[in-house]
Amino acid sequence: METLILGVNDIEKAAGIILKGGLVAMPTETVYGLAADALNGEAVASIFKAKGRPMDNPLIVHISKLSQIDMLVSEFPEKAQRLAEKFWPGPLTVILPKSHRIPEEVSAGLDTVAVRFPSHPVAQALISASCPLAAPSANLSGSPSPTTAAHVISDMDGRIDAVLDGGECSVGVESTVITLAEGTPKILRPGGITAEQISAVIGEVIIDSAVTQPLGKNQKAASPGMKYKHYSPKAEVILLDGDDDKFYEYIHKHSDDKTAVLCYNEEADSFSCVKIPIGAKNDDAAYAYHLFSALREADEKKCSRVFAHCPKKEGMGLAVYNRIIRAAGFRVTKL
Ligand code: AMP
Ligand code: MG
């Protein structure tokens, strides 16, 4: 199929494609999503096919007004309401018991559904002109998530009906996923809203161990997406944990002309290999914003290895750590 490239004035056209059961990649504040009518099981199934996504990895349903949640969930507990009031629209996904209207394909056989109200005006306009949209990130399964329409095209050209170009995504990593379906609220994936922000609103929050560690042999993933290899460019990602001097020393020793370094703006002059800036030192939100496009850039520049700073495991740093540790196959080199 030919993939149409639509602009922000083509919302009606994009909505028409969705309502006929088609697939449209849309910008959100986190990353580009690959959207289909969330209540049309057949349309949702085609998302999995286009991405090569395992069928047991459920999708997030996106809404554009709070009242739409009623048709998606069977319960909307008080803590979820408080989170919605504080963080929606925004990069927070809440998992709740699902309603009978949610197709099997969306929830991948679970009895819960993940719901998010994005803040991006183009995503909101598309949902309002069509219906609630099931949407995972609009990349081929396993590769870095797309933060521009060009990234979407590079993975999905010919595999989807259209991409709606709304420019660069402002957060750069996916939403925070929290389950409120049972027991103490638990973060299954860190993202644009930090654990610290959430706990200020609802009190105790647990962070699932799979956020920072590989699953144990007999351990079951609370969020099925956590068990898959993820976010990986073709280049090997090597995460370096140590102070700046040791970082420079290690890279000088181990780099060649096929090596890229994800570097802070301040240190760009310190390297002779391919440099890909990720913002100012200690600015974890900037690291998040640049991360996926930096990993894609390393591939575009035909690098075989990428060295990267190991972020701190707090605030937005935890979201970056969660992605890059998977891109690096859970290996951290201690300096
Ligand atoms: P993505 O495909 O990148 O948008 O990621 C969606 C994430 O949300 C994946 O990690 C899914 O496994 C997770 N997810 C979606 N729905 C559920 C659910 N009902 N229960 C647990 N995790 C979910
Ligand atoms: Mg994804």
Side-chain angles (χ1 to χ4, degrees), residues 52-72:
R53 181 180 177 99
M55 290 297 292
D56 65 350
N57 190 5
L59 308 181
I60 296 169
V61 179
H62 296 72
I63 57 176
S64 63
K65 48 179 187 286
L66 196 54
S67 58
Q68 287 170 324
I69 201 166
D70 295 338
M71 66 170 140
L72 306 176

Side-chain angles (χ1 to χ4, degrees), residues 51-54 57 139-144 215 224-237 322-331:
K51 279 183 59 98
R53 181 180 177 99
N57 190 5
N139 51 286
L140 287 173
S141 191
S143 74
L215 282 175
M226 296 192 297
K227 66 181 189 238
Y228 296 107
K229 184 169 181 266
H230 245 115
Y231 316 119
S232 306
K234 294 192 186 73
E236 181 190 13
V237 178
N322 170 262
R323 309 308 190 276
I324 202 162
I325 193 81
R326 283 168 169 76
F330 285 98
R331 286 184 311 270

Side-chain angles (χ1 to χ4, degrees), residues 119-136:
S119 64
H120 198 293
V122 176
Q124 288 184 3
L126 180 61
I127 299 163
S128 296
S130 57
C131 53
L133 299 176

